[in-house]
């Protein structure tokens, strides 16, 4: 620090004020007359150069510095170089320009410092775009086409297929106009091929989405045949998909193979997908050997779940047991490529780590892993259930082989599910004992499997009306897994069967809390509230269930029945109409709707629904009786006869149906025209024949005694009157407004005498 400090020497005796009177010679006006250089400059440049100002001294010549002693010395620059215009060693230093440094004369004359040029005001406005120019019109039209293509794609993703197709068509029309305008302005080489390709491809896709397959194929053909579109041959895959949807399998295979030839081998995944489509098409055509070749190649190059499952289906179709086993083992060996569940378990209590694990536990990637695993389990379970009955001598042995293979794989947890499916197969074959024994094997296994087996056992015993056993196994299932909604539902069912509806409702509600999608528990809660006469709560339950199961016939019927119990027939009829739209052949719903219209006094609508119910189920006695009574009320007794005859066939021990038939016959063909006593004589000629033809056959059978011979028409009767002596028959009528009728038949002198009289009751 002290290196830069210079101390004055003590011997320095100079005057402290020396040099005080030194000054710049520029200001020495007294010596200007004696300054030769100045006088020469004035003489040569007077009138041709600006006057020297007082602010900036002139540097044209070097002047001596006048001191107080009168001595003059020339001043040098601060860098040690001579001043501008100075003479050194007989050579004058040249003048240097100042404009190159960015200075101007205006700046030297006192103008304000403005490096950004703000004093000049705002910049002039941009030149207006000429919108009428052809280039600008083409640019705007191209922008509009791109916007229409984007709007079409967005509408398709939102499910509005019609709007997407309209936008795609509009984009195609505007793109053709754009091409014509561009051809008129510029050369054809400047046409935007990418825009044309995107418009045509989007239009074909929208045609296909709207199932307009011929238009889609034509649009794809336009793209494929245009050699200016690179890689357009790959779109033959889309054409093959359309032919597959049209069930034109031969053309589908043709286009798949053409696309396969045009795709290079580096695109391995695309080639595998096309070969898989070819294999599926071969299965649909019944060419299982060709399908097997395709799927075998896929499983050897890039094995996947779908190809393995389809390979098993192909071997199952040809009946090759050994190949089915090998294909099942290949399917089991397909890697899932998913992470283990252990990484979602926190190894310590670090809050930051726990927060990260909670964030990734249910993200989109984790959901995709779960879906992939669920799909793999579905394929394996379906394949096992398919091949187990045929790969061995019995389905039980086949299931045992599948279970052993699964236990040795990464899907070891599926072995227990296969065992349960084995029990279900016993149930389908109505071998309940084997099913129960198979399920009882799980009583000593882990809690989840034990709960599933006990749930099935409880359900089996419930179906067999063994409620005590059903209740015990339901308790076992609930104790093994308290969060099993099926076990809680079965427990509620057993309590419901015993009549304890309040407790049953508690089990159903607990099952619903554990699994909000348990529709069985919600349905049973509605039934329980209905039993407890809590109609409002029951209606809420069934309406919630209807929001989940839109087309459930049982739910619709329960809602209609509750409205009927609430004495709201209009709402009941409305919900029954919805039920009929779902199941139009349900005779019970039709008869119920007819009864509601009958109670409202609309006989014509009631007859329509009762008749439809009778047409689908002609054995409902209530419907038959209503239809017969309707025809009697409308004075069409002959039409009511067929319904009462059918009722007599359904209930042959009920005499009333036969008497109703007799009453209908009497109303349709009256036997007696006078209300009081009447006698009529019938000869055995044509009159007898006409009377027998007019009288109902049922009455004829009742009026003839068992031993009386039949009298042929046009012949005289050869019997004596002893056969008819004292024989009479009482025929009661079932019309409440009439009295019973007594008919007495006698035979005298070849004539049959019939005496009819109404019986007056004795009071």
């Amino acid at each position: 620090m002290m290196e830069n400090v210079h101390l004055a020497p003590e011997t320095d005796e100079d005057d402290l004020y020396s040099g005080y009177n030194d000054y710049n010679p520029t200001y020495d006006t007294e010596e200007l007359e004696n300054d030769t250089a100045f006088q020469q400059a004035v003489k040569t440049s007077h009138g041709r150069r600006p006057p020297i100002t007082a602010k900036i001294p002139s540097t044209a010549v070097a002047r001596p510095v006048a001191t107080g002693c009168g001595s003059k010395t020339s001043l040098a620059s601060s860098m040690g170089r001579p001043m501008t215009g100075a003479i050194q060693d007989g050579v004058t230093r040249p003048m240097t320009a100042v404009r190159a440094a960015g200075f101007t004369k205006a700046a030297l004359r006192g103008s304000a410092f403005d490096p950004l040029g703000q004093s000049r005001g705002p910049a002039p406005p941009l030149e207006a775009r000429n919108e009428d120019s052809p280039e600008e019109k083409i640019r705007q039209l191209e922008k509009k086409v791109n916007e229409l293509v984007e709007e079409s794609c967005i509408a398709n993703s939102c499910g509005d297929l019609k709007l997407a197709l309209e936008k795609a068509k509009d984009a195609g029309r505007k793109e053709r106009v754009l091409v014509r305008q561009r051809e008129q302005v510029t050369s054809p080489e400047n046409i935007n091929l990418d825009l044309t390709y995107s418009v045509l491809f989007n239009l074909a896709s929208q045609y296909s989405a709207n199932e307009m397959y011929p238009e889609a194929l034509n649009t794809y053909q336009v793209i494929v045949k245009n050699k200016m579109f690179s890689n357009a041959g790959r779109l033959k895959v889309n054409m093959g998909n359309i032919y597959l949807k049209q069930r034109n399998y031969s053309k589908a295979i043709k286009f798949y193979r053409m696309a396969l030839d045009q795709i290079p081998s580096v695109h391995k995944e695309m080639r595998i997908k096309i070969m898989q489509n070819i294999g599926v098409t071969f299965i649909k055509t019944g060419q299982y050997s060709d399908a097997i070749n395709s799927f075998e190649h896929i499983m050897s190059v890039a094995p996947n779940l779908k190809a393995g499952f389809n390979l098993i289906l192909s071997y199952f179709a040809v009946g090759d047991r050994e190949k089915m086993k090998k294909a099942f083992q290949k399917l089991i060996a397909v890697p899932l490529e998913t992470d283990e569940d252990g990484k979602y378990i926190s190894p310590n209590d670090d809050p930051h780590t726990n927060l990260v694990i909670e964030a990734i536990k249910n993200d989109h990637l984790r959901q995709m892993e779960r879906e992939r695993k669920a799909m793999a389990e579905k394929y394996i379970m379906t394949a096992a259930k398919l091949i187990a009955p045929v790969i061995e001598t019995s389905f039980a042995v086949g299931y045992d082989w599948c279970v052993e293979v699964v236990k040795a794989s990464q899907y070891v947890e599926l072995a227990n599910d296969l065992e349960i499916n084995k029990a279900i197969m016993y149930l389908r074959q109505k071998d309940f004992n084997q099913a129960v024994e198979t399920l009882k094997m799980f009583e000593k296994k882990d809690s989840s499997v034990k709960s599933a087996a006990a749930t099935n056992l409880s359900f089996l015993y419930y179906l067999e009306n063994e409620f005590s056993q059903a209740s015990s196994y339901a308790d076992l299932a609930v104790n093994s897994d308290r969060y099993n909604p099926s076990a809680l539902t079965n427990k509620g069912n057993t309590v419901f069967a015993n009549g304890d509806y309040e407790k049953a409702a508690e089990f159903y509600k607990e099952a619903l809390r554990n699994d909000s999608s348990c529709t069985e528990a919600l349905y049973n809660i509605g039934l329980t509230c209905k039993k407890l006469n809590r109609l409002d709560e029951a209606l809420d339950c069934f309406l919630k269930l209807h929001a989940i199961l839109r087309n459930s016939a049982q739910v619709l019927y329960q809602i209609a029945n509750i409205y009927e119990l609430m004495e709201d027939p209009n709402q009941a009829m409305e919900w029954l109409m919805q039920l009929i739209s779902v199941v139009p052949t349900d005779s019970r719903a039709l008869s119920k709707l007819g009864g509601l219209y009958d109670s409202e006094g609309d006989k014509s609508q009631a007859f329509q629904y009762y008749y439809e119910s009778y047409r689908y189920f002609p054995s409902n006695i209530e419907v038959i009786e209503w239809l017969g009574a309707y025809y009697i009320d409308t004075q069409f007794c002959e039409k009511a006869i067929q319904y009462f005859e059918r009722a007599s066939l359904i209930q042959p021990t009920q005499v009333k149906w036969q008497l109703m038939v007799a009453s209908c016959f009497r109303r349709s063909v009256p036997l007696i025209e006078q209300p009081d006593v009447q006698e009529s004589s019938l000869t055995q000629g044509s009159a007898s024949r006409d009377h027998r033809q007019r009288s109902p056959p049922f009455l004829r059978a009742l009026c003839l005694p068992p031993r009386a011979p039949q009298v042929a028409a046009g012949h005289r009767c050869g019997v004596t009157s002893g056969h008819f002596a004292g024989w009479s028959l009482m025929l009661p009528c079932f019309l409440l407004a009439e009295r019973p009728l007594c008919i007495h038949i006698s035979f005298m002198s070849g004539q049959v005498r019939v005496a009819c009289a109404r019986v007056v009751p004795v009071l």
Side-chain angles (χ1 to χ4, degrees):
M1 231 182 129
M2 297 299 295
E3 294 176 358
N4 298 325
V5 178
H6 300 280
L7 301 177
E10 297 178 354
T11 60
D12 191 4
E13 298 179 354
D14 292 343
D15 186 8
L16 295 176
Y17 300 98
S18 63
Y20 180 79
N21 294 325
D22 293 345
Y23 60 94
N24 195 317
T26 304
Y27 302 105
D28 187 10
T29 58
E30 296 178 357
E31 298 293 330
L32 288 179
E33 295 179 357
N34 300 325
D35 190 348
T36 306
F38 176 77
Q39 293 296 330
Q40 184 67 25
V42 169
K43 292 179 181 180
T44 58
S45 61
H46 179 71
R48 293 198 301 270
R49 59 185 296 178
I52 299 174
T53 62
K55 292 183 180 180
I56 301 176
S58 174
T59 58
V61 295
R63 296 181 177 86
V65 178
T67 62
C69 300
S71 63
K72 298 180 179 179
T73 59
S74 66
L75 296 175
S77 66
S78 61
M79 299 298 293
R81 61 182 175 84
M83 296 178 63
T84 302
I87 299 175
Q88 185 177 6
D89 298 332
V91 179
T92 305
R93 184 177 183 273
M95 298 289 291
T96 56
V98 297
R99 187 176 297 276
F103 299 100
T104 61
K105 295 179 180 179
L108 297 175
R109 294 173 182 175
S111 62
F113 179 74
D114 188 15
L116 299 179
Q118 297 179 0
S119 61
R120 292 177 294 179
L126 297 176
E127 184 179 356
R129 180 183 298 176
N130 187 7
E131 296 183 357
D132 295 334
S133 64
E135 292 81 4
E136 183 63 25
K137 290 182 179 179
I138 290 174
R139 192 180 300 109
Q140 293 296 329
L141 190 57
E142 184 174 344
K143 181 180 179 181
K144 182 63 177 177
V145 172
N146 281 316
E147 291 176 355
L148 288 172
V149 172
E150 292 178 2
E151 291 174 1
S152 175
C153 296
I154 293 173
N156 183 283
S157 63
C158 295
D160 194 349
L161 301 181
K162 292 184 179 180
L163 179 60
L165 181 59
E166 291 298 328
K167 295 288 185 181
K169 289 181 179 179
D170 195 9
R173 289 190 292 266
K174 292 186 181 304
E175 193 273 336
R176 288 191 292 272
V177 174
L178 174 64
V179 170
R180 287 195 295 267
Q181 291 186 2
R182 196 180 290 274
E183 288 176 351
Q184 294 174 0
V185 175
T186 60
S187 60
E189 290 79 9
N190 294 330
I191 296 176
N192 192 346
L193 292 178
D194 292 337
L195 181 61
T196 304
Y197 180 86
S198 62
V199 169
L200 291 175
F201 179 70
N202 179 61
L203 181 60
S205 301
Q206 301 307 331
Y207 275 133
S208 179
N210 285 272
E211 298 182 356
M212 302 172 66
Y213 298 130
E215 292 83 355
L217 290 173
N218 293 334
T219 309
Y220 279 126
Q221 284 287 358
V222 172
I223 301 175
V224 171
K225 290 182 179 180
N226 195 336
K227 302 300 181 182
M228 300 180 67
F229 295 141
S230 60
N231 300 324
R234 300 182 184 182
L235 295 181
K236 292 181 180 179
V237 177
N238 296 16
M239 301 176 70
N241 293 337
I242 293 176
Y243 282 121
L244 183 63
K245 292 178 181 178
Q246 292 180 331
R247 299 185 179 181
N248 192 347
Y249 301 124
S250 59
K251 282 195 173 182
I253 294 174
K254 174 184 175 181
F255 277 89
Y256 283 143
R257 286 178 170 172
M258 291 170 63
L260 193 64
D261 294 337
Q262 296 186 8
I263 294 178
S265 58
V266 294
H267 299 285
K268 180 179 177 182
E269 186 176 355
M270 176 63 73
R271 293 179 62 87
I272 289 297
K273 290 182 178 180
I274 295 175
M275 292 189 66
Q276 189 162 335
N277 286 0
I278 294 174
V280 172
T281 310
F282 277 132
I283 290 179
K284 289 184 175 292
T285 57
Q287 303 177 29
Y288 300 112
S289 58
D290 295 330
I292 288 172
N293 294 332
S294 298
F295 293 128
E296 283 284 2
H297 176 73
I298 295 173
M299 293 301 291
S300 62
V301 175
N304 60 77
L305 295 170
K306 292 183 179 180
F309 182 75
N310 290 331
L311 182 60
I312 293 175
L313 291 180
S314 302
Y315 282 130
F316 178 81
V318 299
D320 194 336
R321 296 184 178 181
E322 295 300 324
K323 293 292 182 64
M324 276 189 275
K325 290 183 178 180
K326 293 181 180 179
F328 185 76
Q329 292 174 345
K330 290 181 180 179
L331 179 64
I332 291 289
V334 173
L336 273 179
E337 299 179 356
T338 58
D339 295 332
E340 298 294 334
D341 294 336
K343 83 171 194 175
Y344 298 102
I345 301 176
S346 177
N348 50 35
D349 295 335
D350 184 12
H352 179 70
T353 305
N354 295 336
L355 186 62
V356 172
I357 291 175
E358 287 294 329
I360 67 174
K361 186 179 293 185
N362 199 29
D363 59 353
H364 293 291
L365 181 60
R366 178 58 175 164
Q367 292 176 3
M368 186 180 69
E369 291 178 351
R370 290 174 180 171
E371 292 175 359
R372 183 177 178 83
K373 185 176 181 180
M375 183 180 66
E377 293 177 353
K378 178 182 177 181
Y379 282 141
I380 293 172
M381 292 292 296
T382 305
K385 290 188 287 186
L386 179 67
I387 68 174
V390 297
I391 58 176
E392 298 292 345
T393 55
S394 64
F395 80 92
V397 180
Y399 265 105
D400 293 338
W401 181 87
C402 292
V403 168
E404 293 300 325
V405 173
V406 170
K407 285 183 178 179
S409 68
Q410 56 182 331
Y411 304 98
V412 62
E413 66 273 5
L414 294 181
N416 295 324
D417 295 336
L418 284 175
E419 289 284 356
I420 294 178
N421 283 327
K422 179 181 176 182
I424 295 174
M425 184 63 70
Y426 279 123
L427 287 177
R428 290 178 178 173
Q429 295 185 354
K430 297 182 180 180
D431 192 350
F432 295 100
N433 295 329
Q434 286 291 338
V436 171
E437 290 184 4
T438 304
L439 292 173
K440 286 183 177 180
M441 294 169 55
F442 294 94
E443 293 182 1
K444 297 182 180 179
K445 293 191 176 183
D446 58 338
S447 59
S448 60
V449 179
K450 184 194 298 183
S451 178
T455 301
N456 290 333
L457 285 171
S458 174
F459 182 69
L460 287 177
Y461 283 120
Y462 182 85
L463 293 179
E464 294 180 353
N465 293 328
E466 297 183 10
F467 299 125
S468 59
Q469 289 287 340
S471 180
S472 62
Y473 278 103
D475 291 333
L476 178 61
V478 171
N479 294 332
S480 300
D481 185 4
R482 188 71 186 184
Y483 298 98
N484 186 354
S486 300
L488 292 168
T489 302
N490 283 346
K491 180 59 179 177
N493 291 341
T494 58
V495 177
F496 185 93
N498 294 326
D500 193 351
Y501 303 123
E502 293 286 353
K503 192 173 181 181
E506 294 178 2
F507 282 108
Y508 295 144
K509 290 177 181 179
E510 184 177 356
L512 200 61
R513 286 194 296 269
N514 293 339
D515 185 6
S516 59
S517 63
C518 185
T519 56
E520 295 84 359
L522 185 58
Y523 185 88
N524 292 345
I525 290 174
L527 291 180
T528 306
C529 294
K530 185 179 174 182
K531 283 285 187 180
L532 295 172
N533 202 24
R534 301 173 184 170
L535 299 181
D536 293 333
E537 297 181 13
L539 183 61
D540 291 339
C541 293
F542 287 119
L543 289 176
K544 290 178 182 178
L545 194 58
H546 175 66
I548 302 172
L549 307 174
R550 303 295 299 179
N551 296 324
S552 176
Q554 293 85 355
V555 175
L556 292 172
Y557 179 80
Q558 291 295 337
I559 295 174
N561 184 249
I562 291 175
Y563 275 120
E564 184 181 2
L565 294 175
M566 297 172 68
E567 298 181 355
D568 191 350
N570 294 327
Q571 286 290 335
M573 287 187 288
E574 181 180 347
W575 284 97
L576 283 174
M577 291 293 292
Q578 295 186 31
L579 173 60
I580 292 173
S581 65
V582 176
V583 280
T585 60
D586 190 347
S587 61
R588 176 68 176 172
L590 290 168
S591 63
K592 195 76 174 176
L593 189 57
L596 289 174
Y597 276 112
D598 186 26
S599 63
E600 292 294 311
D602 193 347
K603 294 289 185 180
S604 60
Q605 285 289 340
F607 169 75
Q608 178 183 352
Y609 289 111
Y610 271 123
Y611 183 77
E612 289 293 320
S613 176
Y614 173 79
R615 192 162 64 90
Y616 291 118
F617 183 62
S619 300
N620 191 338
I621 293 294
E622 296 179 359
V623 175
I624 292 173
E625 186 175 6
W626 191 93
L627 289 173
Y630 174 79
Y631 279 119
I632 290 175
D633 292 340
T634 55
Q635 304 299 322
F636 292 101
C637 300
E638 61 276 6
K639 292 186 177 181
I641 293 173
Q642 60 175 335
Y643 296 103
F644 293 130
E645 285 180 346
R646 179 171 290 276
S648 65
L649 294 176
I650 297 172
Q651 295 180 347
T653 59
Q654 294 290 334
V655 183
K656 67 176 183 178
W657 303 122
Q658 298 174 353
L659 296 176
M660 291 295 290
V661 173
S663 175
C664 292
F665 274 121
R666 182 183 178 281
R667 282 176 169 270
S668 60
V669 184
L671 183 63
I672 303 167
E673 298 179 358
Q674 299 296 329
D676 296 325
V677 179
Q678 177 184 359
E679 292 185 357
S680 62
S681 298
L682 301 177
T683 62
Q684 292 185 342
S686 61
S688 176
R689 183 175 65 251
D690 294 341
H691 176 74
R692 290 182 59 83
Q693 290 177 354
R694 288 176 62 246
S695 61
F698 189 75
L699 287 178
R700 292 204 304 268
L702 289 178
C703 291
L704 291 177
R707 294 182 299 162
Q710 298 291 333
V711 179
H715 293 82
R716 294 184 63 85
C717 182
V719 297
T720 62
S721 61
H723 290 87
F724 298 92
W727 188 83
S728 63
L729 177 65
M730 176 75 71
L731 291 179
C733 290
F734 278 81
L735 299 177
L736 299 179
E738 298 181 359
R739 297 188 296 273
L741 178 68
C742 180
I743 301 176
H744 185 271
I745 303 174
S746 61
F747 183 81
M748 295 179 63
S749 302
Q751 294 182 350
V752 177
R753 186 176 296 276
V754 179
C756 303
R758 298 189 185 280
V759 178
V760 180
V762 179
L763 299 178

